[in-house]
């Protein structure tokens, strides 16, 4: 079967923005810390995008730390496709699309380095798709089915589902309402021992940038077991977003 092209995958994922722009009415009635967070993340009048195109670079740990560059199409409630190149010679993609997750990576385009698919992979990838909504805060507004609560002034939680996978993402905020760290339970087998289960996943935010009216966590450190003693070994992804283009019109 012919592999789908990047443009074909985009067409299956992206959704146009709604006809209105962001206003404080979108967050009326939410707990004050949640209002502060969303108002800090979304400028007034910004299109209510639910899909975006991104580019990023950084380091990924595959046995050792390797430099990477990648592009991504992200629709947090639908899925994502992330395609990259690491160490100049390893290429491939991760994805969650139409309810199915998979990853495929090759050395020199010929030798398989990693391949995974199936129900466990799909559940894990769905969690990733939803959690990466922190890069597209308009997609996490209540009108899109996200339920927000606050524990105190510095801790808020977003609850929603991607496909059949539930998410409960906990954010720690600074005084300005910006995210400093996040953690959620993600389905996974980070020890590669065949024992899939819900494991803590998250990390620390180390930088912010504004793109098209969205002020997002543009740099950070992510991985398994965040908030536990295993975090130093579980961290595997250090990223910097270099471009983000919310989808505002029909593809």
């Amino acid at each position: 079967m012919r592999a789908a092209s990047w443009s074909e995958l985009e067409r299956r994922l992206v959704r146009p923005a709604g006809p209105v722009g962001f206003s404080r009415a979108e967050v009326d009635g939410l707990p004050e810390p949640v209002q502060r967070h969303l108002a800090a993340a979304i400028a007034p009048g910004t299109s209510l995008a639910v899909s975006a195109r991104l580019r990023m670079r950084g380091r990924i740990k595959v046995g050792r730390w390797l430099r990477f560059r990648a592009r991504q199409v992200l629709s947090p409630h639908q899925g994502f496709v992330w395609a990259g190149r690491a160490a100049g010679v390893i290429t491939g993609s991760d994805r969650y699309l139409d309810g199915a997750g998979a990853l495929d990576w090759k050395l020199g385009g010929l030798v398989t380095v990693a391949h995974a698919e199936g129900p466990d992979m799909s559940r894990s990838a769905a969690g990733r798709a939803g959690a990466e909504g922190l890069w597209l805060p308009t997609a996490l507004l209540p009108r899109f089915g996200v339920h927000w609560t606050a524990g105190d002034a510095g801790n808020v939680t977003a609850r929603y589902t991607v496909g059949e996978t539930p998410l409960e993402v906990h954010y720690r905020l600074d005084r300005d309402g910006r995210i400093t760290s996040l953690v959620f339970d993600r389905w996974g087998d980070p020890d590669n021992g065949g024992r899939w289960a819900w494991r803590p996943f998250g990390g620390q935010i180390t930088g912010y940038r504004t793109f098209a009216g969205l002020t997002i966590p543009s740099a950070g450190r992510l991985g398994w077991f965040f908030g536990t003693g295993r975090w130093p070994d579980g961290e595997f992804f250090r990223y910097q977003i270099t471009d983000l283009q919310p989808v505002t019109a029909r593809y």
Side-chain angles (χ1 to χ4, degrees):
M1 181 181 296
R2 180 181 64 86
S5 68
W6 184 264
S7 61
E8 288 172 325
L9 294 173
E10 274 196 315
R11 289 190 184 96
R12 291 161 62 184
L13 269 176
V14 300
R15 303 291 188 274
V20 299
F22 178 75
S23 73
R24 289 301 294 260
E26 289 285 336
V27 298
D28 281 350
L30 294 178
E32 188 280 332
V34 178
Q35 292 192 38
R36 179 161 36 92
H37 164 60
L38 292 173
I42 311 169
T46 299
S47 295
L48 302 187
V50 292
S51 303
R53 302 178 183 93
L54 303 88
R55 290 189 179 272
M56 65 181 71
R57 64 189 179 197
R59 293 177 179 268
I60 188 168
K61 190 176 183 181
V62 186
R64 59 190 178 92
W65 287 99
L66 305 174
R67 294 185 183 276
F68 78 85
R69 290 183 178 271
R71 59 175 175 165
Q72 180 173 5
V73 178
L74 173 65
S75 292
H77 300 288
Q78 305 295 326
F80 70 92
V81 179
W82 188 89
R85 178 182 294 271
V89 294
I90 302 172
T91 58
S93 66
D94 301 347
R95 63 187 181 274
Y96 177 77
L97 185 64
D98 300 330
L103 61 84
D104 291 285
W105 291 88
K106 294 182 182 294
L107 176 64
L110 298 172
V111 180
T112 296
V113 174
H115 173 80
E117 58 185 335
D120 287 319
M121 185 66 205
S122 296
R123 184 182 293 181
S124 182
R128 171 179 167 178
E132 290 183 356
L134 86 164
W135 295 332
L136 188 61
T138 46
L140 298 185
L141 290 168
R143 67 161 59 208
F144 299 119
V146 179
H147 178 66
W148 287 92
T149 57
D152 56 37
N155 293 276
V156 298
T157 299
R159 296 177 176 86
Y160 47 107
T161 61
V162 178
E164 298 181 354
T165 300
L167 276 91
E168 187 172 297
V169 187
H170 305 280
Y171 304 104
R172 184 175 294 276
L173 308 178
D174 64 15
R175 291 182 179 179
D176 296 323
R178 301 193 308 182
I179 298 169
T180 61
S181 67
L182 72 149
V183 66
F184 67 102
D185 285 340
R186 180 181 176 189
W187 189 253
D189 177 25
D191 296 318
N192 296 313
R195 296 181 297 274
W196 290 79
W198 296 107
R199 321 275 189 181
F201 189 98
Q204 300 166 334
I205 303 306
T206 58
Y208 268 81
R209 282 185 65 183
T210 300
F211 301 92
L214 302 176
T215 301
I216 64 166
S218 62
R221 306 165 56 196
L222 302 171
W224 295 100
F225 307 116
F226 183 68
T228 77
R230 296 191 61 188
W231 163 242
D233 294 326
E235 179 195 355
F236 69 87
F237 190 74
R238 299 174 181 174
Y239 76 91
Q240 180 181 354
I241 293 175
T242 57
D243 187 46
L244 182 143
Q245 299 176 13
V247 175
T248 58
R250 188 169 298 279
Y251 186 82

